[in-house]
PDB file of all heavy atoms in Angstrom:
ATOM      1  N   HIS V   1      71.572  19.919  55.024  1.00 72.00           N
ATOM      2  CA  HIS V   1      73.013  19.892  54.776  1.00 72.00           C
ATOM      3  C   HIS V   1      73.451  20.874  53.615  1.00 72.00           C
ATOM      4  O   HIS V   1      74.590  21.149  53.531  1.00 72.00           O
ATOM      5  CB  HIS V   1      73.442  18.455  54.424  1.00 72.00           C
ATOM      6  CG  HIS V   1      72.842  17.932  53.205  1.00 72.00           C
ATOM      7  ND1 HIS V   1      71.565  17.456  53.108  1.00 72.00           N
ATOM      8  CD2 HIS V   1      73.379  17.821  51.914  1.00 72.00           C
ATOM      9  CE1 HIS V   1      71.314  17.124  51.858  1.00 72.00           C
ATOM     10  NE2 HIS V   1      72.349  17.244  51.174  1.00 72.00           N
ATOM     11  N   LEU V   2      72.475  21.384  52.878  1.00 74.00           N
ATOM     12  CA  LEU V   2      72.833  22.269  51.756  1.00 74.00           C
ATOM     13  C   LEU V   2      72.852  23.788  52.231  1.00 74.00           C
ATOM     14  O   LEU V   2      73.211  24.619  51.386  1.00 74.00           O
ATOM     15  CB  LEU V   2      71.757  22.044  50.575  1.00 74.00           C
ATOM     16  CG  LEU V   2      71.772  20.682  50.026  1.00 74.00           C
ATOM     17  CD1 LEU V   2      70.691  20.585  49.059  1.00 74.00           C
ATOM     18  CD2 LEU V   2      73.142  20.301  49.410  1.00 74.00           C
ATOM     19  N   ARG V   3      72.437  23.978  53.413  1.00 71.00           N
ATOM     20  CA  ARG V   3      72.297  25.419  53.858  1.00 71.00           C
ATOM     21  C   ARG V   3      73.681  26.029  53.950  1.00 71.00           C
ATOM     22  O   ARG V   3      74.660  25.471  54.352  1.00 71.00           O
ATOM     23  CB  ARG V   3      71.583  25.505  55.124  1.00 71.00           C
ATOM     24  CG  ARG V   3      70.178  25.059  55.045  1.00 71.00           C
ATOM     25  CD  ARG V   3      69.424  25.413  56.282  1.00 71.00           C
ATOM     26  NE  ARG V   3      68.029  24.919  56.143  1.00 71.00           N
ATOM     27  CZ  ARG V   3      67.492  24.082  56.917  1.00 71.00           C
ATOM     28  NH1 ARG V   3      67.982  23.763  58.049  1.00 71.00           N
ATOM     29  NH2 ARG V   3      66.191  23.636  56.661  1.00 71.00           N
ATOM     30  N   VAL V   4      73.751  27.347  53.628  1.00 69.00           N
ATOM     31  CA  VAL V   4      75.033  28.037  53.608  1.00 69.00           C
ATOM     32  C   VAL V   4      75.467  28.629  54.967  1.00 69.00           C
ATOM     33  O   VAL V   4      76.603  28.849  55.255  1.00 69.00           O
ATOM     34  CB  VAL V   4      74.928  29.224  52.551  1.00 69.00           C
ATOM     35  CG1 VAL V   4      76.269  29.832  52.372  1.00 69.00           C
ATOM     36  CG2 VAL V   4      74.340  28.708  51.280  1.00 69.00           C
ATOM     37  N   HIS V   5      74.479  28.857  55.852  1.00 69.00           N
ATOM     38  CA  HIS V   5      74.710  29.566  57.073  1.00 69.00           C
ATOM     39  C   HIS V   5      75.317  28.746  58.173  1.00 69.00           C
ATOM     40  O   HIS V   5      75.453  29.178  59.305  1.00 69.00           O
ATOM     41  CB  HIS V   5      73.359  30.205  57.581  1.00 69.00           C
ATOM     42  CG  HIS V   5      72.348  29.232  58.035  1.00 69.00           C
ATOM     43  ND1 HIS V   5      71.589  28.601  57.218  1.00 69.00           N
ATOM     44  CD2 HIS V   5      72.108  28.697  59.290  1.00 69.00           C
ATOM     45  CE1 HIS V   5      70.772  27.711  57.850  1.00 69.00           C
ATOM     46  NE2 HIS V   5      71.088  27.750  59.161  1.00 69.00           N
ATOM     47  N   ILE V   6      75.780  27.534  57.884  1.00 66.00           N
ATOM     48  CA  ILE V   6      76.386  26.655  58.901  1.00 66.00           C
ATOM     49  C   ILE V   6      77.844  27.238  59.142  1.00 66.00           C
ATOM     50  O   ILE V   6      78.583  27.406  58.233  1.00 66.00           O
ATOM     51  CB  ILE V   6      76.473  25.248  58.364  1.00 66.00           C
ATOM     52  CG1 ILE V   6      75.040  24.701  58.204  1.00 66.00           C
ATOM     53  CG2 ILE V   6      77.234  24.368  59.421  1.00 66.00           C
ATOM     54  CD1 ILE V   6      75.030  23.317  57.691  1.00 66.00           C
ATOM     55  N   LEU V   7      78.074  27.548  60.387  1.00 72.00           N
ATOM     56  CA  LEU V   7      79.434  28.039  60.784  1.00 72.00           C
ATOM     57  C   LEU V   7      80.533  26.917  60.763  1.00 72.00           C
ATOM     58  O   LEU V   7      80.117  25.828  61.152  1.00 72.00           O
ATOM     59  CB  LEU V   7      79.318  28.675  62.185  1.00 72.00           C
ATOM     60  CG  LEU V   7      78.342  29.843  62.278  1.00 72.00           C
ATOM     61  CD1 LEU V   7      78.247  30.291  63.753  1.00 72.00           C
ATOM     62  CD2 LEU V   7      78.732  31.008  61.404  1.00 72.00           C
ATOM     63  N   PRO V   8      81.690  27.318  60.413  1.00 74.00           N
ATOM     64  CA  PRO V   8      82.669  26.242  60.429  1.00 74.00           C
ATOM     65  C   PRO V   8      83.125  25.927  61.868  1.00 74.00           C
ATOM     66  O   PRO V   8      82.889  26.771  62.793  1.00 74.00           O
ATOM     67  CB  PRO V   8      83.900  26.961  59.767  1.00 74.00           C
ATOM     68  CG  PRO V   8      83.593  28.393  59.856  1.00 74.00           C
ATOM     69  CD  PRO V   8      82.106  28.585  59.913  1.00 74.00           C
ATOM     70  N   PHE V   9      83.710  24.789  62.038  1.00 76.00           N
ATOM     71  CA  PHE V   9      84.060  24.306  63.411  1.00 76.00           C
ATOM     72  C   PHE V   9      85.184  25.192  63.921  1.00 76.00           C
ATOM     73  O   PHE V   9      86.157  25.510  63.184  1.00 76.00           O
ATOM     74  CB  PHE V   9      84.486  22.902  63.418  1.00 76.00           C
ATOM     75  CG  PHE V   9      84.643  22.268  64.774  1.00 76.00           C
ATOM     76  CD1 PHE V   9      83.457  21.835  65.454  1.00 76.00           C
ATOM     77  CD2 PHE V   9      85.908  22.130  65.284  1.00 76.00           C
ATOM     78  CE1 PHE V   9      83.682  21.315  66.693  1.00 76.00           C
ATOM     79  CE2 PHE V   9      86.068  21.539  66.559  1.00 76.00           C
ATOM     80  CZ  PHE V   9      84.954  21.110  67.299  1.00 76.00           C
ATOM     81  N   PRO V  10      85.127  25.801  65.139  1.00 80.00           N
ATOM     82  CA  PRO V  10      86.178  26.707  65.636  1.00 80.00           C
ATOM     83  C   PRO V  10      87.510  25.937  65.779  1.00 80.00           C
ATOM     84  O   PRO V  10      87.609  24.779  66.086  1.00 80.00           O
ATOM     85  CB  PRO V  10      85.596  27.187  66.934  1.00 80.00           C
ATOM     86  CG  PRO V  10      84.684  26.151  67.430  1.00 80.00           C
ATOM     87  CD  PRO V  10      84.093  25.533  66.169  1.00 80.00           C
ATOM     88  N   TRP V  11      88.579  26.802  65.699  1.00 86.00           N
ATOM     89  CA  TRP V  11      89.924  26.216  65.963  1.00 86.00           C
ATOM     90  C   TRP V  11      90.122  25.937  67.414  1.00 86.00           C
ATOM     91  O   TRP V  11      89.602  26.641  68.245  1.00 86.00           O
ATOM     92  CB  TRP V  11      90.952  27.264  65.459  1.00 86.00           C
ATOM     93  CG  TRP V  11      91.025  27.392  63.901  1.00 86.00           C
ATOM     94  CD1 TRP V  11      90.409  28.283  63.217  1.00 86.00           C
ATOM     95  CD2 TRP V  11      91.648  26.472  63.004  1.00 86.00           C
ATOM     96  NE1 TRP V  11      90.591  28.042  61.875  1.00 86.00           N
ATOM     97  CE2 TRP V  11      91.357  26.966  61.750  1.00 86.00           C
ATOM     98  CE3 TRP V  11      92.435  25.351  63.141  1.00 86.00           C
ATOM     99  CZ2 TRP V  11      91.850  26.322  60.616  1.00 86.00           C
ATOM    100  CZ3 TRP V  11      92.870  24.645  62.016  1.00 86.00           C
ATOM    101  CH2 TRP V  11      92.593  25.236  60.772  1.00 86.00           C
ATOM    102  N   ILE V  12      90.832  24.846  67.681  1.00 88.00           N
ATOM    103  CA  ILE V  12      91.115  24.400  69.016  1.00 88.00           C
ATOM    104  C   ILE V  12      92.394  25.057  69.474  1.00 88.00           C
ATOM    105  O   ILE V  12      93.434  25.057  68.841  1.00 88.00           O
ATOM    106  CB  ILE V  12      91.195  22.927  69.124  1.00 88.00           C
ATOM    107  CG1 ILE V  12      89.917  22.325  68.709  1.00 88.00           C
ATOM    108  CG2 ILE V  12      91.689  22.451  70.541  1.00 88.00           C
ATOM    109  CD1 ILE V  12      89.845  20.773  68.759  1.00 88.00           C
ATOM    110  N   ASN V  13      92.418  25.650  70.652  1.00 90.00           N
ATOM    111  CA  ASN V  13      93.562  26.245  71.310  1.00 90.00           C
ATOM    112  C   ASN V  13      94.363  25.213  72.025  1.00 90.00           C
ATOM    113  O   ASN V  13      93.940  24.673  73.106  1.00 90.00           O
ATOM    114  CB  ASN V  13      93.117  27.367  72.290  1.00 90.00           C
ATOM    115  CG  ASN V  13      94.297  28.121  72.869  1.00 90.00           C
ATOM    116  OD1 ASN V  13      95.448  27.725  72.809  1.00 90.00           O
ATOM    117  ND2 ASN V  13      94.014  29.206  73.518  1.00 90.00           N
ATOM    118  N   GLU V  14      95.485  24.847  71.457  1.00 91.00           N
ATOM    119  CA  GLU V  14      96.235  23.678  71.995  1.00 91.00           C
ATOM    120  C   GLU V  14      96.805  23.962  73.404  1.00 91.00           C
ATOM    121  O   GLU V  14      96.824  23.061  74.221  1.00 91.00           O
ATOM    122  CB  GLU V  14      97.430  23.355  70.989  1.00 91.00           C
ATOM    123  CG  GLU V  14      97.008  22.858  69.706  1.00 91.00           C
ATOM    124  CD  GLU V  14      98.195  22.534  68.832  1.00 91.00           C
ATOM    125  OE1 GLU V  14      99.301  22.122  69.286  1.00 91.00           O
ATOM    126  OE2 GLU V  14      97.998  22.638  67.595  1.00 91.00           O
ATOM    127  N   CYS V  15      97.139  25.108  73.658  1.00 93.00           N
ATOM    128  CA  CYS V  15      97.612  25.498  75.042  1.00 93.00           C
ATOM    129  C   CYS V  15      96.490  25.303  76.073  1.00 93.00           C
ATOM    130  O   CYS V  15      96.805  24.801  77.098  1.00 93.00           O
ATOM    131  CB  CYS V  15      98.130  26.976  75.018  1.00 93.00           C
ATOM    132  SG  CYS V  15      99.570  27.209  73.979  1.00 93.00           S
ATOM    133  N   ARG V  16      95.323  25.746  75.738  1.00 92.00           N
ATOM    134  CA  ARG V  16      94.180  25.613  76.654  1.00 92.00           C
ATOM    135  C   ARG V  16      93.819  24.127  76.822  1.00 92.00           C
ATOM    136  O   ARG V  16      93.601  23.726  77.999  1.00 92.00           O
ATOM    137  CB  ARG V  16      92.955  26.367  76.137  1.00 92.00           C
ATOM    138  CG  ARG V  16      91.781  26.302  76.967  1.00 92.00           C
ATOM    139  CD  ARG V  16      92.059  27.017  78.392  1.00 92.00           C
ATOM    140  NE  ARG V  16      90.848  26.911  79.144  1.00 92.00           N
ATOM    141  CZ  ARG V  16      90.965  26.730  80.479  1.00 92.00           C
ATOM    142  NH1 ARG V  16      92.097  26.749  81.111  1.00 92.00           N
ATOM    143  NH2 ARG V  16      89.873  26.647  81.219  1.00 92.00           N
ATOM    144  N   VAL V  17      93.931  23.314  75.911  1.00 91.00           N
ATOM    145  CA  VAL V  17      93.658  21.867  76.011  1.00 91.00           C
ATOM    146  C   VAL V  17      94.764  21.251  76.943  1.00 91.00           C
ATOM    147  O   VAL V  17      94.431  20.420  77.811  1.00 91.00           O
ATOM    148  CB  VAL V  17      93.732  21.152  74.557  1.00 91.00           C
ATOM    149  CG1 VAL V  17      93.671  19.655  74.752  1.00 91.00           C
ATOM    150  CG2 VAL V  17      92.533  21.616  73.671  1.00 91.00           C
ATOM    151  N   GLN V  18      95.942  21.635  76.729  1.00 93.00           N
ATOM    152  CA  GLN V  18      97.031  21.032  77.627  1.00 93.00           C
ATOM    153  C   GLN V  18      96.841  21.499  79.096  1.00 93.00           C
ATOM    154  O   GLN V  18      96.955  20.712  80.019  1.00 93.00           O
ATOM    155  CB  GLN V  18      98.449  21.536  77.204  1.00 93.00           C
ATOM    156  CG  GLN V  18      98.879  20.790  75.903  1.00 93.00           C
ATOM    157  CD  GLN V  18      98.964  19.302  76.171  1.00 93.00           C
ATOM    158  OE1 GLN V  18      99.375  18.848  77.132  1.00 93.00           O
ATOM    159  NE2 GLN V  18      98.599  18.603  75.084  1.00 93.00           N
ATOM    160  N   GLU V  19      96.394  22.722  79.278  1.00 93.00           N
ATOM    161  CA  GLU V  19      96.086  23.224  80.626  1.00 93.00           C
ATOM    162  C   GLU V  19      95.008  22.432  81.243  1.00 93.00           C
ATOM    163  O   GLU V  19      95.066  22.032  82.460  1.00 93.00           O
ATOM    164  CB  GLU V  19      95.696  24.721  80.570  1.00 93.00           C
ATOM    165  CG  GLU V  19      96.789  25.693  80.301  1.00 93.00           C
ATOM    166  CD  GLU V  19      96.321  27.080  80.155  1.00 93.00           C
ATOM    167  OE1 GLU V  19      95.166  27.430  80.525  1.00 93.00           O
ATOM    168  OE2 GLU V  19      97.071  27.898  79.647  1.00 93.00           O
ATOM    169  N   LEU V  20      93.924  22.194  80.499  1.00 91.00           N
ATOM    170  CA  LEU V  20      92.785  21.389  81.017  1.00 91.00           C
ATOM    171  C   LEU V  20      93.130  20.023  81.335  1.00 91.00           C
ATOM    172  O   LEU V  20      92.784  19.477  82.332  1.00 91.00           O
ATOM    173  CB  LEU V  20      91.666  21.434  80.023  1.00 91.00           C
ATOM    174  CG  LEU V  20      90.924  22.751  79.898  1.00 91.00           C
ATOM    175  CD1 LEU V  20      89.912  22.665  78.669  1.00 91.00           C
ATOM    176  CD2 LEU V  20      90.192  23.177  81.066  1.00 91.00           C
ATOM    177  N   LEU V  21      94.015  19.428  80.534  1.00 90.00           N
ATOM    178  CA  LEU V  21      94.526  18.050  80.774  1.00 90.00           C
ATOM    179  C   LEU V  21      95.282  18.004  82.019  1.00 90.00           C
ATOM    180  O   LEU V  21      95.122  17.097  82.904  1.00 90.00           O
ATOM    181  CB  LEU V  21      95.361  17.503  79.615  1.00 90.00           C
ATOM    182  CG  LEU V  21      94.557  17.080  78.376  1.00 90.00           C
ATOM    183  CD1 LEU V  21      95.537  16.785  77.236  1.00 90.00           C
ATOM    184  CD2 LEU V  21      93.650  15.921  78.682  1.00 90.00           C
ATOM    185  N   GLN V  22      96.175  18.985  82.255  1.00 91.00           N
ATOM    186  CA  GLN V  22      97.038  19.037  83.420  1.00 91.00           C
ATOM    187  C   GLN V  22      96.212  19.178  84.732  1.00 91.00           C
ATOM    188  O   GLN V  22      96.429  18.536  85.761  1.00 91.00           O
ATOM    189  CB  GLN V  22      98.047  20.163  83.411  1.00 91.00           C
ATOM    190  CG  GLN V  22      99.185  19.883  82.202  1.00 91.00           C
ATOM    191  CD  GLN V  22      99.876  18.596  82.417  1.00 91.00           C
ATOM    192  OE1 GLN V  22     100.199  18.179  83.458  1.00 91.00           O
ATOM    193  NE2 GLN V  22     100.230  17.930  81.310  1.00 91.00           N
ATOM    194  N   GLU V  23      95.209  20.013  84.653  1.00 90.00           N
ATOM    195  CA  GLU V  23      94.248  20.288  85.811  1.00 90.00           C
ATOM    196  C   GLU V  23      93.543  19.016  86.076  1.00 90.00           C
ATOM    197  O   GLU V  23      93.392  18.625  87.301  1.00 90.00           O
ATOM    198  CB  GLU V  23      93.349  21.395  85.504  1.00 90.00           C
ATOM    199  CG  GLU V  23      93.849  22.755  85.462  1.00 90.00           C
ATOM    200  CD  GLU V  23      92.758  23.764  85.063  1.00 90.00           C
ATOM    201  OE1 GLU V  23      91.663  23.550  85.140  1.00 90.00           O
ATOM    202  OE2 GLU V  23      93.282  24.894  84.567  1.00 90.00           O
ATOM    203  N   GLY V  24      93.079  18.366  85.133  1.00 87.00           N
ATOM    204  CA  GLY V  24      92.312  17.052  85.361  1.00 87.00           C
ATOM    205  C   GLY V  24      93.212  15.992  85.945  1.00 87.00           C
ATOM    206  O   GLY V  24      92.761  15.254  86.860  1.00 87.00           O
ATOM    207  N   LEU V  25      94.469  15.898  85.412  1.00 87.00           N
ATOM    208  CA  LEU V  25      95.419  14.895  86.121  1.00 87.00           C
ATOM    209  C   LEU V  25      95.685  15.175  87.478  1.00 87.00           C
ATOM    210  O   LEU V  25      95.768  14.338  88.360  1.00 87.00           O
ATOM    211  CB  LEU V  25      96.700  14.865  85.232  1.00 87.00           C
ATOM    212  CG  LEU V  25      96.527  14.080  83.865  1.00 87.00           C
ATOM    213  CD1 LEU V  25      97.871  14.306  83.092  1.00 87.00           C
ATOM    214  CD2 LEU V  25      96.311  12.644  84.135  1.00 87.00           C
ATOM    215  N   ALA V  26      95.969  16.498  87.749  1.00 87.00           N
ATOM    216  CA  ALA V  26      96.256  16.910  89.167  1.00 87.00           C
ATOM    217  C   ALA V  26      95.062  16.504  90.099  1.00 87.00           C
ATOM    218  O   ALA V  26      95.275  16.094  91.173  1.00 87.00           O
ATOM    219  CB  ALA V  26      96.566  18.358  89.175  1.00 87.00           C
ATOM    220  N   ARG V  27      93.830  16.775  89.636  1.00 84.00           N
ATOM    221  CA  ARG V  27      92.589  16.469  90.502  1.00 84.00           C
ATOM    222  C   ARG V  27      92.441  15.037  90.604  1.00 84.00           C
ATOM    223  O   ARG V  27      92.147  14.560  91.801  1.00 84.00           O
ATOM    224  CB  ARG V  27      91.339  17.029  89.799  1.00 84.00           C
ATOM    225  CG  ARG V  27      91.174  18.507  90.286  1.00 84.00           C
ATOM    226  CD  ARG V  27      89.788  18.914  89.671  1.00 84.00           C
ATOM    227  NE  ARG V  27      89.984  18.862  88.154  1.00 84.00           N
ATOM    228  CZ  ARG V  27      89.150  19.501  87.436  1.00 84.00           C
ATOM    229  NH1 ARG V  27      88.110  20.135  87.811  1.00 84.00           N
ATOM    230  NH2 ARG V  27      89.387  19.449  86.067  1.00 84.00           N
ATOM    231  N   SER V  28      92.735  14.231  89.614  1.00 80.00           N
ATOM    232  CA  SER V  28      92.452  12.807  89.682  1.00 80.00           C
ATOM    233  C   SER V  28      93.575  12.077  90.527  1.00 80.00           C
ATOM    234  O   SER V  28      93.258  11.075  91.202  1.00 80.00           O
ATOM    235  CB  SER V  28      92.467  12.163  88.269  1.00 80.00           C
ATOM    236  OG  SER V  28      93.707  12.188  87.672  1.00 80.00           O
ATOM    237  N   GLN V  29      94.670  12.648  90.666  1.00 83.00           N
ATOM    238  CA  GLN V  29      95.758  12.096  91.461  1.00 83.00           C
ATOM    239  C   GLN V  29      95.501  12.232  92.935  1.00 83.00           C
ATOM    240  O   GLN V  29      95.798  11.427  93.787  1.00 83.00           O
ATOM    241  CB  GLN V  29      97.150  12.595  91.089  1.00 83.00           C
ATOM    242  CG  GLN V  29      97.660  12.104  89.758  1.00 83.00           C
ATOM    243  CD  GLN V  29      98.906  12.829  89.349  1.00 83.00           C
ATOM    244  OE1 GLN V  29      99.349  13.705  90.012  1.00 83.00           O
ATOM    245  NE2 GLN V  29      99.532  12.278  88.283  1.00 83.00           N
TER     246      GLN V  29
END
């Protein structure tokens, strides 16, 4: 846990998340 080379968690693209949710809802219906 003390190592410096750990990369930060990437930012989430909110638009892409919404697209994926809409696709999943369309498939499940």
Side-chain angles (χ1 to χ4, degrees):
H1 64 283
L2 299 173
R3 293 193 184 125
V4 189
H5 68 277
I6 298 176
L7 299 174
F9 192 78
W11 289 97
I12 297 176
N13 183 345
E14 291 182 32
C15 293
R16 182 65 182 143
V17 170
Q18 286 301 322
E19 288 174 15
L20 291 172
L21 285 173
Q22 294 302 325
E23 286 176 21
L25 283 173
R27 272 186 296 199
S28 68
Q29 289 174 352

